[in-house]
PDB file of all heavy atoms in Angstrom:
ATOM      1  N   CYS A  56     -19.585   7.153 -87.956  1.00  0.00           N
ATOM      2  CA  CYS A  56     -19.556   6.792 -86.538  1.00  0.00           C
ATOM      3  C   CYS A  56     -20.520   7.627 -85.692  1.00  0.00           C
ATOM      4  O   CYS A  56     -21.460   7.101 -85.123  1.00  0.00           O
ATOM      5  CB  CYS A  56     -18.132   6.938 -86.011  1.00  0.00           C
ATOM      6  SG  CYS A  56     -17.965   6.512 -84.258  1.00  0.00           S
ATOM      7  N   ALA A  57     -20.257   8.933 -85.600  1.00  0.00           N
ATOM      8  CA  ALA A  57     -21.036   9.766 -84.685  1.00  0.00           C
ATOM      9  C   ALA A  57     -22.498   9.870 -85.097  1.00  0.00           C
ATOM     10  O   ALA A  57     -23.389   9.838 -84.255  1.00  0.00           O
ATOM     11  CB  ALA A  57     -20.416  11.163 -84.594  1.00  0.00           C
ATOM     12  N   THR A  58     -22.743  10.013 -86.396  1.00  0.00           N
ATOM     13  CA  THR A  58     -24.123  10.113 -86.860  1.00  0.00           C
ATOM     14  C   THR A  58     -24.883   8.822 -86.592  1.00  0.00           C
ATOM     15  O   THR A  58     -26.038   8.839 -86.155  1.00  0.00           O
ATOM     16  CB  THR A  58     -24.170  10.444 -88.362  1.00  0.00           C
ATOM     17  OG1 THR A  58     -23.447  11.648 -88.599  1.00  0.00           O
ATOM     18  CG2 THR A  58     -25.606  10.641 -88.834  1.00  0.00           C
ATOM     19  N   SER A  59     -24.235   7.702 -86.825  1.00  0.00           N
ATOM     20  CA  SER A  59     -24.871   6.406 -86.572  1.00  0.00           C
ATOM     21  C   SER A  59     -25.161   6.227 -85.088  1.00  0.00           C
ATOM     22  O   SER A  59     -26.244   5.774 -84.710  1.00  0.00           O
ATOM     23  CB  SER A  59     -23.971   5.266 -87.064  1.00  0.00           C
ATOM     24  OG  SER A  59     -23.791   5.340 -88.459  1.00  0.00           O
ATOM     25  N   ARG A  60     -24.191   6.582 -84.246  1.00  0.00           N
ATOM     26  CA  ARG A  60     -24.400   6.476 -82.803  1.00  0.00           C
ATOM     27  C   ARG A  60     -25.598   7.312 -82.360  1.00  0.00           C
ATOM     28  O   ARG A  60     -26.408   6.879 -81.544  1.00  0.00           O
ATOM     29  CB  ARG A  60     -23.146   6.942 -82.053  1.00  0.00           C
ATOM     30  CG  ARG A  60     -22.018   5.954 -82.023  1.00  0.00           C
ATOM     31  CD  ARG A  60     -20.829   6.549 -81.292  1.00  0.00           C
ATOM     32  NE  ARG A  60     -19.729   5.610 -81.179  1.00  0.00           N
ATOM     33  CZ  ARG A  60     -19.557   4.747 -80.190  1.00  0.00           C
ATOM     34  NH1 ARG A  60     -20.433   4.710 -79.207  1.00  0.00           N
ATOM     35  NH2 ARG A  60     -18.533   3.922 -80.160  1.00  0.00           N
ATOM     36  N   THR A  61     -25.687   8.522 -82.914  1.00  0.00           N
ATOM     37  CA  THR A  61     -26.784   9.417 -82.541  1.00  0.00           C
ATOM     38  C   THR A  61     -28.118   8.849 -82.995  1.00  0.00           C
ATOM     39  O   THR A  61     -29.115   8.892 -82.260  1.00  0.00           O
ATOM     40  CB  THR A  61     -26.570  10.818 -83.142  1.00  0.00           C
ATOM     41  OG1 THR A  61     -25.285  11.314 -82.740  1.00  0.00           O
ATOM     42  CG2 THR A  61     -27.648  11.783 -82.675  1.00  0.00           C
ATOM     43  N   PHE A  62     -28.163   8.322 -84.218  1.00  0.00           N
ATOM     44  CA  PHE A  62     -29.408   7.748 -84.727  1.00  0.00           C
ATOM     45  C   PHE A  62     -29.853   6.572 -83.870  1.00  0.00           C
ATOM     46  O   PHE A  62     -31.024   6.469 -83.487  1.00  0.00           O
ATOM     47  CB  PHE A  62     -29.245   7.300 -86.180  1.00  0.00           C
ATOM     48  CG  PHE A  62     -30.410   6.476 -86.676  1.00  0.00           C
ATOM     49  CD1 PHE A  62     -31.639   7.075 -86.925  1.00  0.00           C
ATOM     50  CD2 PHE A  62     -30.287   5.110 -86.852  1.00  0.00           C
ATOM     51  CE1 PHE A  62     -32.726   6.324 -87.358  1.00  0.00           C
ATOM     52  CE2 PHE A  62     -31.360   4.349 -87.284  1.00  0.00           C
ATOM     53  CZ  PHE A  62     -32.584   4.960 -87.542  1.00  0.00           C
ATOM     54  N   ARG A  64     -29.128   5.915 -80.813  1.00  0.00           N
ATOM     55  CA  ARG A  64     -29.536   6.389 -79.485  1.00  0.00           C
ATOM     56  C   ARG A  64     -30.946   6.971 -79.545  1.00  0.00           C
ATOM     57  O   ARG A  64     -31.785   6.699 -78.675  1.00  0.00           O
ATOM     58  CB  ARG A  64     -28.550   7.437 -78.988  1.00  0.00           C
ATOM     59  CG  ARG A  64     -28.774   7.845 -77.528  1.00  0.00           C
ATOM     60  CD  ARG A  64     -27.858   8.986 -77.138  1.00  0.00           C
ATOM     61  NE  ARG A  64     -27.898   9.226 -75.716  1.00  0.00           N
ATOM     62  CZ  ARG A  64     -26.944   8.900 -74.858  1.00  0.00           C
ATOM     63  NH1 ARG A  64     -25.855   8.273 -75.295  1.00  0.00           N
ATOM     64  NH2 ARG A  64     -27.054   9.174 -73.576  1.00  0.00           N
TER      65      ARG A  64
END
Side-chain angles (χ1 to χ4, degrees):
C56 180
T58 303
S59 297
R60 283 178 177 271
T61 305
F62 170 72
R64 188 186 190 106

